[in-house]
Amino acid sequence: MALIVQKYGGSSVGTIDRIRNVARRLLDTAREGNSVVGVVSAMQGVTDRLIKLAHEVTPAPSERELDVLLSTGEQQSIALLCMAIQDMGGKAVSITGAQAGIRTFGSHTRGRIGSIHPGFMLSRLAEGNILICAGFQGITEEGLIHTLGRGGSDLSAIALAAALKADVCQIYTDVDGVYTCDPRIVRDAAKIPSLSYDEMLEMASSGSKVMQARSVEFAKKFHVAFEVRNSMNNNPGTIVQEEIPAMEAVAVRGISIERGQARVTVSGITAPVAYTAKILNALAEAEINIDMIVANTAHDGIARQSFTMHVNDLGHAQAALKPLMAEFGPNARLETEAGLAKLSVVGIGMRSHSGVAATVFQTMADEGIPVGMISTSEIKITLTVDERDVERAASAVHAAFHLNAIKP
């Protein structure tokens, strides 16, 4: 008998018919002789409606009260799902994140998991129940309801699988798995049978919407292998696991794109080397997340530094950096550019295959697509292009590496 954790997202429980479909899946898994824990998101659209209600009451709702409000979305889902299982003759109990023993810390609406105390869950599983747990939430040491922010239900499932020492963790979504590129952009994109944690992390951080990066980080830290599957069929999905030698046979595993990017450049810097610390501290204090960072100093000692961020943060970044310009020298300038997108090419096979970068940039040249900033890691190459060119760029690179022919 295996202990299986299954997570279902908002689209998987978006209607009563879909809730019944999930109930049948959980019940079938239990009837095969397994102990089953279902982790469920709010029904599709519910969280957005709750946020809208809060802003109708006040333009600046308290984050503490938002946590109380938003946590009710998942509680609706778990109760309805338990009712459906019971109606089909199964035995199920719903529990909140707090009852599951998920202890959190950090700011409201973006809590972090500190520990999990699974005793209550184990006792209910021992009674033969299918356990239906609210994702996206936990409770602080002070007893306050805490939500986990974007991707919180995935994180809940991975964390519970780790705490319960589950044999299997399955992340059910509305797609068949992780693809070599978004199939809406590249029509012949292929499903990837398996990925390493590092590859999945790079793809998640580069714009792949299948899972949030912090869920994958948690899985890697606690060695939780998981499978991304479609809740609407029984097709095998994509397994994310520890790196195995066979994964290096393919130089490039996938391509991710992220639209809505902007570039900020501080040029003409003649101040001491502390300029980088001053720039990054100012952005951190403004709670602005940046991604690609490129800095260089010319032979005459004049430096420039560029970085990317989401376009929605561009105004805040300008406001945070303008007061620093005088400190960077009389010719320091703040330059910005919006309308960009990032294209990332990912694969652990890059370590043992030469010429990957050459192929990427030759493809861009052949397509006549100008490249802006460039950033590399051991298993990823990221570049910025005009947002209008990113789909053409993704299709061309996908074809250049023959990713439509990927095999299990």
Side-chain angles (χ1 to χ4, degrees), residues 149-387:
R150 292 186 62 190
S153 291
D154 288 341
L155 181 60
S156 299
I158 298 290
L160 289 176
L164 292 167
K165 297 179 172 56
D167 298 282
V168 180
C169 182
Q170 298 168 328
I171 307 295
Y172 282 94
T173 69
D174 55 0
V175 296
D176 277 358
V178 183
Y179 280 73
T180 50
C181 194
D182 188 335
R184 294 169 296 184
I185 296 169
V186 178
R187 292 186 177 181
D188 61 351
K191 183 172 65 180
I192 306 171
S194 65
L195 283 167
S196 70
Y197 293 126
D198 287 338
E199 287 172 324
M200 188 69 236
L201 267 172
E202 295 285 20
M203 293 184 72
S205 64
S206 302
S208 174
K209 306 301 182 187
V210 176
M211 289 190 72
Q212 293 292 319
R214 64 179 184 150
S215 301
V216 186
E217 289 173 348
F218 199 101
K220 179 182 179 180
K221 180 178 180 180
F222 291 98
H223 309 287
V224 179
F226 62 91
E227 184 179 12
V228 180
R229 303 186 63 167
N230 194 325
S231 64
M232 302 301 164
N233 59 47
N234 292 312
N235 298 336
T238 298
I239 296 172
V240 182
Q241 60 187 356
E242 301 279 0
E243 180 180 327
I244 57 175
M247 291 177 174
E248 291 196 2
V250 180
V252 173
R253 309 273 284 171
I255 297 168
S256 297
I257 69 171
E258 190 167 6
R259 295 182 171 86
Q261 300 297 296
R263 175 187 60 82
V264 174
T265 298
V266 182
S267 61
I269 302 172
T270 55
V273 292
Y275 72 84
T276 296
K278 290 180 179 179
I279 288 172
L280 297 183
N281 282 331
L283 294 172
E285 288 176 5
E287 296 187 345
I288 296 170
N289 292 321
I290 61 174
D291 186 14
M292 302 170 70
I293 303 176
V294 177
N296 61 75
T297 302
H299 64 86
D300 57 5
I302 297 176
R304 69 185 273 132
Q305 186 164 46
S306 298
F307 40 88
T308 60
M309 63 187 62
H310 194 277
V311 70
N312 291 346
D313 290 326
L314 187 54
H316 297 300
Q318 288 175 291
L321 295 176
K322 278 183 179 179
L324 299 178
M325 289 300 103
E327 298 182 39
F328 295 153
N331 297 316
R333 298 185 308 279
L334 185 62
E335 305 164 4
T336 63
E337 181 183 6
L340 300 177
K342 290 187 303 186
L343 182 144
S344 296
V345 180
V346 178
I348 60 172
M350 289 185 192
R351 297 170 182 157
S352 53
H353 290 72
S354 61
V356 173
T359 299
V360 171
F361 292 106
Q362 185 61 56
T363 302
M364 294 295 98
D366 293 343
E367 292 292 320
I369 298 174
V371 173
M373 295 174 64
I374 302 166
S375 175
T376 64
S377 74
E378 189 180 22
I379 66 169
K380 181 174 75 169
I381 299 168
T382 299
L383 49 92
T384 62
V385 298
D386 191 292
E387 195 162 10

Side-chain angles (χ1 to χ4, degrees), residues 27-51:
L27 198 49
D28 287 347
T29 304
R31 286 172 174 168
E32 290 171 358
N34 302 301
S35 293
V36 181
V37 177
V39 180
V40 188
S41 299
M43 295 174 71
Q44 192 170 37
V46 166
T47 300
D48 288 340
R49 287 197 293 273
L50 291 173
I51 292 172

Side-chain angles (χ1 to χ4, degrees), residues 77-153:
S77 297
I78 62 174
L80 291 170
L81 185 52
C82 273
M83 292 174 192
I85 293 170
Q86 292 163 1
D87 186 60
M88 296 174 185
K91 187 177 180 182
V93 172
S94 65
I95 59 171
T96 65
Q99 291 169 327
I102 299 175
R103 298 291 185 267
T104 57
F105 65 95
S107 303
H108 280 287
T109 73
R110 45 193 178 277
R112 302 181 68 83
I113 295 177
S115 62
I116 297 180
H117 305 278
F120 183 82
M121 290 187 291
L122 292 170
S123 66
R124 294 300 179 270
L125 286 169
E127 294 169 357
N129 291 293
I130 297 173
L131 209 57
I132 307 300
C133 180
F136 182 65
Q137 61 182 255
I139 191 168
T140 68
E141 293 296 336
E142 295 78 21
L144 301 177
I145 294 172
H146 217 178
T147 64
L148 304 177
R150 292 186 62 190
S153 291

